[in-house]
Amino acid sequence: MPELAEVDYFRKQWNPGLGRRIDQVLLHPKARLFRGADTARLVAALTGALLERSEARGKQMLFVARPAKVGATSRAWLGLHLGMTGELRVEPPDFPPSRHDHLVLLQPERSLVFTDPRLFGRVRFSEGPTAPDWWTELPPDLLSDAFTVPALADFLRRRPRAPLKAVLLMQERFPGIGNWMADEILWRTAIHPQQPAGSLDAARVKTLYREIRAVCRNALRVIGADWSDPPATWLFPHRWEKGGTCPRTGAKLQHATIGGRTTCWSPARQKLI
DNA sequence: TCCTATGTTGTATG
DNA sequence: ACATACAACATAGG
């Protein structure tokens, strides 16, 4: 389920383990989750290490650990992506991992668990004095100063015929936006999800920019903080209701596959132009 | 049985 | 080279 705010919520689930030692690492090395990662080194580096801190950028998470060796300047960098069904949670120290618990960091006081039934998630691992490229080369956060109206306009211009719904899902420009956030943004902006990205005038680009930032802020405040339900004034709680209606117009919501994903919009306020 | 699922990626086509 | 579209990945639930 995780998009921007859900990812940050799950990241914080491991907060009780920060500043604490990792005694043991349990994993299934052949799980698709670990494709491309050196699991042997991951286990060797994290065993006995101190879990220092974590951060999230878009749908990506980073956990940083200090190796047991005294005076070590190198760090262990653990990158996690939750895919479609990944979750992070805390369990007791003696907890027995079940089938989908693919990575477990055992601490004296608790177990930090990464579970992912569908295995669309991903674990990355690196060692070194500074953060690895796969972390530092991530695109700028949508709430940072680096995400600007001209940057948005330029990106849309380069994908002139793609439907806006599909474009908003491109992580290289919109890190953290997923299916429900894209629909929420277009609904607030009153733009049809099928609208070609290159067809917006300057005023609409500016409005789109503002609503992208607003949905990111609101989602982090409401869902990211404690997994609160978004209020009925959002599209979110109505999008899967049968016979669901638009909270602003009262008109019946519509559904179709756009950009390869099930899309919900309010035909009363989102019309092709 | 068939369809759906808050995601990414590899591949084909234009 | 770039833009676009879509199957594939793996599992559970309606």
Side-chain angles (χ1 to χ4, degrees):
Chain A
M1 2 203 308
E3 302 180 23
L4 180 76
E6 292 91 342
V7 168
D8 205 42
Y9 172 81
F10 282 125
R11 176 187 67 82
K12 289 185 280 191
Q13 297 311 293
W14 279 12
N15 276 357
L18 299 183
R20 310 301 300 178
R21 192 180 70 244
I22 298 165
D23 284 337
Q24 199 184 344
V25 177
L26 308 179
L27 54 77
H28 304 299
K30 291 192 305 186
R32 174 183 153 86
L33 203 61
F34 297 102
R35 56 197 182 279
D38 188 334
T39 51
R41 289 189 66 186
L42 186 161
V43 171
L46 288 181
T47 302
L50 187 87
L51 192 60
E52 284 186 322
R53 62 186 176 87
S54 69
E55 41 186 312
R57 291 187 52 181
K59 296 173 189 170
Q60 312 279 342
M61 290 176 287
L62 177 69
F63 289 85
V64 187
R66 179 158 49 94
K69 190 176 145 195
V70 176
T73 56
S74 181
R75 291 291 182 272
W77 310 88
L78 179 69
L80 302 184
H81 189 291
L82 298 172
M84 193 85 97
T85 51
E87 295 182 5
L88 302 189
R89 68 183 197 279
V90 168
E91 295 282 357
D94 58 350
F95 141 90
S98 58
R99 180 150 97 100
H100 301 309
D101 298 331
H102 298 292
L103 174 67
V104 181
L105 308 182
L106 296 175
Q107 296 186 318
E109 310 84 357
R110 70 190 67 74
S111 302
L112 306 176
V113 182
F114 179 7
T115 195
D116 183 8
R118 285 176 75 180
L119 294 167
F120 291 174
R122 182 155 198 181
V123 175
R124 287 184 168 85
F125 179 75
S126 296
E127 293 173 277
T130 59
D133 291 349
W134 51 255
W135 183 256
T136 58
E137 289 173 5
L138 291 174
D141 195 286
L142 294 173
L143 292 174
S144 74
D145 293 342
F147 179 63
T148 61
V149 172
L152 171 62
D154 181 67
F155 193 78
L156 300 181
R157 198 162 45 233
R158 289 168 188 274
R159 286 154 189 80
R161 286 180 307 280
L164 268 166
K165 169 61 185 271
V167 172
L168 284 174
L169 293 174
M170 295 178 179
Q171 301 298 295
E172 74 237 50
R173 182 77 269 177
F174 307 108
I177 292 183
N179 203 28
W180 80 256
M181 287 182 79
D183 285 356
E184 193 80 28
I185 289 162
L186 292 171
W187 173 74
R188 288 178 56 125
T189 315
I191 293 177
H192 194 288
Q194 193 68 256
Q195 186 71 36
S199 67
L200 299 189
D201 58 30
R204 284 188 175 84
V205 172
K206 202 167 176 180
T207 306
L208 177 62
Y209 174 84
R210 197 164 48 235
E211 298 301 349
I212 288 169
R213 307 250 290 189
V215 169
C216 288
R217 264 196 311 274
N218 291 337
L220 286 167
R221 178 172 50 79
V222 174
I223 300 174
D226 59 2
W227 205 269
S228 292
D229 288 332
T233 52
W234 296 23
L235 176 65
F236 184 98
H238 308 282
R239 50 178 292 126
W240 297 128
E241 288 172 350
K242 49 184 185 305
T245 55
C246 170
R248 295 200 188 180
T249 67
K252 197 171 182 307
L253 294 171
Q254 197 163 333
H255 298 85
T257 298
I258 300 175
R261 309 294 300 278
T262 299
T263 299
C264 173
W265 74 98
S266 171
R269 58 182 271 111
Q270 296 169 264
K271 299 177 191 302
L272 284 169
I273 51 171

